[in-house]
Structure formats: structure tokens, C-alpha cells
Amino acid sequence: MGWQTEQVGIDHEGYPVAVMGDGSEPAPVNGNSAWWLYDGQDGRPRAIAVRAACECGWRSAEMFPIDWEDQDETDGFEYNSGPYAAWDRQHIAPLLGTTVPDDLTDAIATVRQMLAGLTTSRPLAAAAAAADVEKLGGAALQRAVTAVRDSNGSWENIGQALGVTRQAAHQRFAKTLFRG
């Protein structure tokens, strides 16, 4: 069983696929195409990487290293990394309308880098700046959740966008929707 989300159903079940040296996906072994079968043992070909895939036919362009000793690390689901993160962010998020614009993603990365640098050189200034970012983020998050609810968005959608359950989103925000 691969990765699933209730919002898009089994038509968009994701999974990691093996990638061979020439960039192709290998043929199934006895009807099974699990990436870990392509380990070079018992005459099977050896994969050089994995990529994210979906039942609908979507494939990520990005390839990820194989950790033959840790299948969870290769899959990425337990760590929200690798092929799982690619499937979730590049394929599922656009389907759900939760994709963050690239310029905002870049701006957040810049702030993160600047805070990291400031923490080393001027830790007190970094603490003050991080507190401002936290206040900004908290208020923006509250307004965004209110806007989703005002447009008849569900707690399930909010939870998905935040990476939490419907119940966790409801418990955190239901009593404090921004109305001013």
C-alpha cells in the first residue's frame, strides 16, 4: 500500500518507484514493482535511485538516493522527506490548492537564512526578530484559517494544508476565528 490522502482518494495513491541508471523504471519482478526489489540480488537489476510516482501516471522529475539499510528513509513517509514529500508537495498540494507561491517560499527561505546568521553573530537581535516573525506568522495563520472557513472550506482542508488532522485544526482554531 502506498501513500493516500482522503481528499483525492485512491486515484492519486503515491509510491516510490525504482530508477535505473538510464533513468527508466524497471519492469515488474513477478508482478511486483516495489523499489526495494531492484537491489541487484538474484539476477535482478540494481536501481540507482527512486522517484515519486502516482497511480494517475504522474512522476516527479527529482530522484532520491536509496538507503538499502533503511527503507523508511528511502520512502520518506516517516520523515516527510524524499519521494513522499515530492508527491505531497508537487502533486497533491496543487490538486488541493495548497501550493505556496514560489516567491513566498523563496522569501521564507531568505528569512530563515538571515535568522540563522543573526543567531550566530547577534543572538539577542535574532531572538527579537524571531519573535516578530512568530507574531506575524501567528496572526497571518489565524486570518488565513478564518478566510478558509468564511469561504466554506472544511476543517479537513485546513488540517491538510497545515499538515495536521482535521480534529487538531478544529481544536486549535475553531474558538478563535479572526473577526476584526
Side-chain angles (χ1 to χ4, degrees), residues 6-152:
E6 290 179 18
Q7 291 87 353
V8 295
I10 61 172
D11 290 343
H12 291 284
E13 181 175 348
Y15 51 93
V17 295
V19 178
M20 307 313 289
D22 64 359
S24 68
E25 294 177 21
V29 174
N30 297 324
N32 191 342
S33 59
W35 69 265
W36 46 266
L37 287 172
Y38 303 96
D39 59 1
Q41 303 294 315
D42 300 323
R44 294 185 300 262
R46 184 170 178 91
I48 62 160
V50 293
R51 72 168 42 111
C54 184
E55 284 298 322
C56 71
W58 175 88
R59 299 292 192 261
S60 68
E62 187 176 8
M63 293 187 287
F64 303 91
I66 293 175
D67 184 341
W68 295 106
E69 303 299 317
D70 187 349
Q71 290 185 6
D72 288 340
E73 177 71 28
T74 300
D75 178 272
F77 178 78
E78 296 293 324
Y79 306 102
N80 194 21
S81 64
Y84 170 77
W87 171 79
D88 187 47
R89 293 184 186 117
Q90 297 169 20
H91 185 56
I92 299 303
L95 291 173
L96 297 175
T98 58
T99 304
V100 177
D102 289 343
D103 57 343
L104 183 55
T105 300
D106 294 344
I108 292 168
T110 298
V111 168
R112 185 177 290 120
Q113 288 176 327
M114 292 175 77
L115 284 172
L118 198 57
T119 298
T120 303
S121 63
R122 298 176 45 213
L124 195 54
D132 285 344
V133 170
E134 184 176 59
K135 289 175 198 166
L136 172 67
L141 178 56
Q142 192 67 52
R143 284 186 192 95
V145 167
T146 300
V148 172
R149 291 296 295 157
D150 287 349
S151 66
N152 297 317

Side-chain angles (χ1 to χ4, degrees), residues 148-165:
V148 172
R149 291 296 295 157
D150 287 349
S151 66
N152 297 317
S154 70
W155 288 111
E156 185 72 35
N157 295 139
I158 293 167
Q160 178 72 29
L162 301 180
V164 300
T165 65

